[in-house]
């Protein structure tokens, strides 16, 4: 009885602490949209957008917030109905398992208080997820699979080239069929155990970023303290990812990790959500040398939509960032990487993607280039590299 009372007291205290801490991470405060829908663009831009066969985005954190993605929401940036409204074929749903309080682009300690723990408790997740990063990761993976199962064949979890081809074929006759993939934002989610690479692979994960906002057992973050490259454990994780067919996502990685991964990977890499230093000089953004090395390896770079990645005003700088990558290494290496629902303020939600087409059109991008940026590059990259 005494143990039960102590357990209940601990539970109550943790819940009170969570309630006290979580307001700074409430979604309505963190995932704001500057311009609310509906969105209007020129007739020419809208016509081009409506004719796009495959629209794709490389980064969205919607699974973090506990929303039912099968229902159209009045907060955040992405859900299945809004994907359909925007004619988006494929979204990369990324999993955030830990994020330091006071996170910033410059420097964060791995020992900082984790803001995902109170969010996990307040959302009513299982106590097994409260203090286990890999359990949180597997739980969010399961959530996406369950959401897709509720769609009665209208949503496909893409884990293989065959799954992707099934999505492409299905959309030829029914544009309401949508696809999702799973990624992990920061390999601290593996909890230092190489066996967890296989566990998350079995759960459907096909992309992992070595680091997020802080250093971990794989090496240094672009926003961490050490600036280190891959550790021996980090190298073993990258090798296992290559063997299984999990893409390495270099967003948030230290420059040293970027170099180490590009030196050793046997597969092209993804940078799922980033800016470029030529447009905004930030620790999270890519230098021209890094862009060239990533392209030389056959990689693809997703341009993010928020000010800390592209600068303000966001929309012209999103286009300028896309243009810079195109001019430097060619159109086939650039894509959309919004960072929707990533605790960032964006200029428009997913239904505002025609605004990107308008911007590309105004900057003189050809029809083929617009198609490439809006999703064809992602489709071709995945067809070439998914197993």
């Amino acid at each position: 009885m005494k143990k039960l009372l102590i357990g209940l007291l601990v539970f109550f205290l943790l819940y009170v602490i969570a309630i006290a801490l979580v307001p700074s991470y409430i979604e309505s405060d963190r995932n704001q949209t500057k311009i609310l829908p509906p969105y209007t663009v020129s007739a020419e831009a809208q016509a081009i957008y409506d004719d796009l066969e495959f629209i794709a985005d490389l980064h969205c954190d919607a699974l973090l917030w506990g929303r039912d993605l099968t229902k159209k929401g009045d907060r955040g940036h992405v859900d299945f109905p809004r994907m359909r409204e925007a004619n988006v074929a494929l979204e990369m749903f990324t999993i955030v398992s830990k994020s330091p309080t006071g996170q910033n682009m410059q420097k964060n300690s791995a020992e900082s208080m984790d803001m995902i723990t109170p969010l996990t408790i307040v959302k009513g997740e299982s106590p097994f997820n409260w203090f286990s990063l890999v359990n949180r990761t597997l739980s969010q993976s399961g959530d996406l699979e369950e959401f897709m199962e509720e769609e009665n064949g209208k949503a496909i979890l893409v884990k293989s080239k065959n799954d992707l081809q099934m999505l492409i074929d299905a959309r030829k006759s029914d544009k309401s069929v949508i696809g999702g993939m799973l990624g992990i934002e920061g390999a601290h989610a593996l909890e230092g155990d190489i066996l967890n690479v296989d566990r998350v692979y079995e759960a459907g994960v096909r992309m992992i970023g070595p680091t997020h906002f802080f250093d971990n057992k794989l090496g240094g973050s672009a926003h961490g303290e050490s600036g280190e490259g891959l550790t021996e454990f980090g190298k073993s994780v990258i090798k296992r990812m290559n063997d299984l067919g999990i893409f390495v996502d270099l967003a948030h990685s230290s420059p040293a990790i970027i170099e180490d991964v590009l030196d050793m990977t046997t597969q092209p890499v993804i940078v799922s959500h980033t800016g470029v230093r030529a447009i905004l000089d930030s620790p999270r953004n890519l230098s021209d040398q890094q862009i060239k090395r990533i392209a030389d390896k056959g990689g693809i770079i997703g341009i993010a939509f928020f000010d800390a990645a592209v600068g303000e005003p966001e929309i012209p700088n999103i286009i300028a960032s896309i243009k810079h990558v195109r001019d430097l290494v060619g159109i086939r290496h650039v894509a959309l990487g919004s960072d929707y629902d990533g605790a960032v303020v964006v200029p428009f939600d997913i239904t505002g993607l025609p605004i990107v087409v308008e911007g590309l059109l105004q900057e003189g991008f050809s029809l083929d280039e617009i198609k490439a940026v809006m999703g064809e590059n992602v489709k071709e990259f995945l067809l070439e590299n998914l197993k």
Side-chain angles (χ1 to χ4, degrees):
M1 185 66 178
K2 184 177 179 181
K3 288 183 179 179
L4 177 60
L5 289 172
I6 291 172
L8 289 172
L9 179 60
V10 170
F11 177 88
F12 177 74
L13 289 173
L14 286 170
Y15 188 76
V16 169
I17 292 169
I19 290 291
L21 290 175
V22 84
S24 65
Y25 224 71
I26 289 174
E27 183 176 15
S28 58
D29 295 332
R30 305 290 290 195
N31 291 328
Q32 296 181 3
T33 308
K34 287 189 174 181
I35 308 169
L36 296 176
Y39 303 101
T40 303
V41 296
S42 69
E44 182 182 8
Q46 189 64 55
I48 291 172
Y49 187 87
D50 291 342
D51 284 342
L52 294 174
E53 295 181 2
F54 199 92
I55 301 169
D57 177 41
L58 285 173
H59 197 97
C60 167
D61 294 330
L63 292 171
L64 175 62
W65 305 99
R67 280 188 277 122
D68 182 349
L69 298 184
T70 68
K71 305 290 193 300
K72 184 172 182 177
D74 58 3
R75 54 191 171 93
H77 307 135
V78 174
D79 48 48
F80 292 176
R82 280 184 279 185
M83 283 180 66
R84 292 190 174 100
E85 184 179 338
N87 192 30
V88 171
L90 183 69
E91 181 66 69
M92 179 73 78
F93 291 95
T94 42
I95 297 166
V96 180
S97 63
K98 180 179 177 180
S99 189
T101 183
Q103 70 180 35
N104 60 77
M105 294 297 170
Q106 303 302 320
K107 188 176 183 180
N108 299 277
S109 169
E111 307 307 317
S112 297
M113 184 178 292
D114 170 34
M115 288 306 300
I116 306 303
T117 298
L119 183 61
T120 300
I121 295 171
V122 170
K123 281 162 54 183
E125 291 193 27
S126 164
F128 290 107
N129 297 350
W130 289 6
F131 306 110
S132 170
L133 304 185
V134 71
N135 283 355
R136 293 177 193 177
T137 300
L138 295 172
S139 179
Q140 289 186 45
S141 301
D143 288 344
L144 183 62
E145 188 164 15
E146 288 180 14
F147 291 145
M148 293 197 151
E149 286 174 354
E150 291 177 29
E151 292 291 293
N152 298 316
K154 296 287 189 176
I156 297 171
L157 182 59
V158 175
K159 298 186 284 187
S160 67
K161 187 182 298 186
N162 286 341
D163 292 337
L164 179 62
Q165 191 61 59
M166 189 187 310
L167 173 65
I168 294 167
D169 292 343
R171 286 181 57 83
K172 289 177 181 177
S173 58
D174 186 356
K175 289 294 183 69
S176 69
V177 179
I178 56 173
M181 291 184 68
L182 278 166
I184 294 175
E185 194 155 20
H188 47 269
L190 303 175
E191 297 184 337
D193 187 346
I194 191 71
L195 296 179
N196 282 333
V197 180
D198 290 74
R199 290 182 71 192
V200 300
Y201 176 83
E202 291 300 321
V205 169
R206 292 299 180 268
M207 182 181 79
I208 300 175
T211 58
H212 192 204
F213 271 99
F214 53 90
D215 305 335
N216 62 36
K217 291 183 179 179
L218 278 75
S221 163
H223 327 280
E225 298 177 315
S226 71
E228 292 179 350
L230 289 171
T231 62
E232 289 306 311
F233 176 69
K235 292 176 183 177
S236 69
V237 168
I238 300 302
K239 183 178 184 305
R240 186 60 183 153
M241 288 170 62
N242 281 171
D243 291 344
L244 290 172
I246 302 174
F247 297 111
V248 182
D249 177 12
L250 292 177
H252 294 291
S253 288
S254 69
I257 278 190
I258 292 175
E259 292 302 312
D260 287 348
V261 167
L262 292 173
D263 284 343
M264 70 171 292
T265 184
T266 59
Q267 301 294 326
V269 301
I270 294 173
V271 189
S272 68
H273 61 306
T274 190
V276 298
R277 293 199 177 189
I279 304 302
L280 180 69
D281 190 7
S282 164
R284 66 154 296 122
N285 287 351
L286 297 174
S287 69
D288 284 1
Q289 180 183 3
Q290 290 167 338
I291 294 168
K292 289 177 181 177
R293 284 211 68 194
I294 290 162
D296 286 345
K297 282 281 188 175
I300 191 166
I301 297 166
I303 298 300
F305 290 178
F306 62 99
D307 59 359
V310 297
E312 295 186 276
E314 292 92 346
I315 294 170
N317 286 334
I318 292 167
I319 305 304
S321 301
I322 293 170
K323 185 174 185 292
H324 183 78
V325 176
R326 179 201 67 179
D327 293 347
L328 189 66
V329 294
I331 193 67
R332 69 185 296 263
H333 298 289
V334 64
L336 306 181
S338 66
D339 201 17
Y340 279 144
D341 293 316
V344 293
V345 180
V346 293
F348 45 80
D349 73 10
I350 197 167
T351 63
L353 288 179
I355 295 170
V356 179
V357 170
E358 180 88 274
L360 295 172
L361 197 60
Q362 290 174 352
E363 281 298 312
F365 280 67
S366 70
L367 179 58
D368 285 344
E369 288 177 327
I370 291 171
K371 290 178 179 179
V373 170
M374 297 302 294
E376 289 295 323
N377 282 344
V378 171
K379 182 180 78 173
E380 294 304 318
F381 177 88
L382 294 175
L383 284 173
E384 290 173 13
N385 297 297
L386 269 174
K387 293 189 175 182

